[in-house]
Amino acid sequence: RVGLQFTSPCMGKACFFANGPHENYSDRRYSAHAGVYEVDTPSSLDTYVVPQEQGNRTGLRWLFLYQSSSYDNAGRSKEATEVEEDSIANLVANKTGILILPEDLVEFTTSRFTDAEVFAARHVNDLIPPNNDEYYVRLDVAQRGLGTGSCGPQTLEKYTIHGGTYRIAFWLKPVGYD
């Protein structure tokens, strides 16, 4: 992946305009459609027995991380659901959170674990959520497609990442803080 990772206080919910509702990647996105979706955060890592990258969404136009009283501290996320709001202003009204507005389309993931922690784990039970309310937000300008040759074919060449210059720019806007 080419991008950045930062920590955020756990807000509990993510509402996003991106490809969804399910996870998707550059080479696995044809069943995902652009829309506004909402999901509990951070994304759970219990989908696969062997921990690996998961929960990515491509085509991010904006991401709103906000506080929710219904957050389950165990970090279990539900399937994303489509949101029927007529504007982003109505969506953020009366909520407290962080609005992320990328300049160009990017990909995003939220997790309770760093990439290094996921990579080092041999089984999902090796990943023990930290005793804090922080989680990781990843914004990527590029990410290698799925497939590593470990249990199937290698990633197709057009979905690999090569050296070069990459640029990512975005705005972080606090919402609802007095």
Side-chain angles (χ1 to χ4, degrees):
R1 70 172 14 128
V2 177
L4 57 94
Q5 171 179 276
F6 59 91
T7 58
S8 170
C10 192
M11 297 292 184
K13 291 278 190 185
C15 188
F16 55 91
F17 183 9
N19 296 330
H22 51 77
E23 69 178 8
N24 53 87
Y25 298 83
S26 61
D27 61 344
R28 304 284 193 281
R29 67 173 188 247
Y30 294 112
S31 65
H33 305 284
V36 178
Y37 302 97
E38 182 179 64
V39 67
D40 289 345
T41 59
S43 294
S44 172
L45 279 176
D46 60 2
T47 306
Y48 309 112
V49 174
V50 177
Q52 56 194 285
E53 166 61 41
Q54 58 186 287
N56 191 65
R57 303 303 199 301
T58 61
L60 179 68
R61 285 114 171 130
W62 54 259
L63 170 62
F64 181 47
L65 303 169
Y66 66 97
Q67 293 179 351
S68 169
S69 60
S70 64
Y71 175 65
D72 171 10
N73 200 31
R76 305 280 182 212
S77 63
K78 301 174 197 166
E79 182 71 22
T81 55
E82 197 157 4
V83 175
E84 299 292 331
E85 284 293 339
D86 59 351
S87 74
I88 194 168
N90 288 341
L91 186 112
V92 304
N94 302 314
K95 294 184 176 93
T96 302
I98 301 167
L99 182 62
I100 301 170
L101 300 158
E103 191 173 281
D104 296 307
L105 296 180
V106 297
E107 302 178 25
F108 88 96
T109 309
T110 61
S111 177
R112 295 283 286 164
F113 308 98
T114 66
D115 283 338
E117 290 168 331
V118 172
F119 184 75
R122 307 275 295 158
H123 189 276
V124 69
N125 293 339
D126 295 338
L127 292 169
I128 299 167
N131 263 350
N132 61 39
D133 285 334
E134 290 186 339
Y135 65 108
Y136 299 93
V137 178
R138 296 181 187 98
L139 298 176
D140 297 318
V141 67
Q143 189 174 142
R144 177 188 165 122
L146 301 178
T148 60
S150 64
C151 61
Q154 278 291 344
T155 304
L156 294 176
E157 176 64 25
K158 66 183 179 178
Y159 299 115
T160 59
I161 298 176
H162 301 283
T165 302
Y166 294 87
R167 181 180 180 278
I168 187 170
F170 57 92
W171 293 91
L172 289 176
K173 179 177 176 35
V175 175
Y177 293 96
D178 294 330

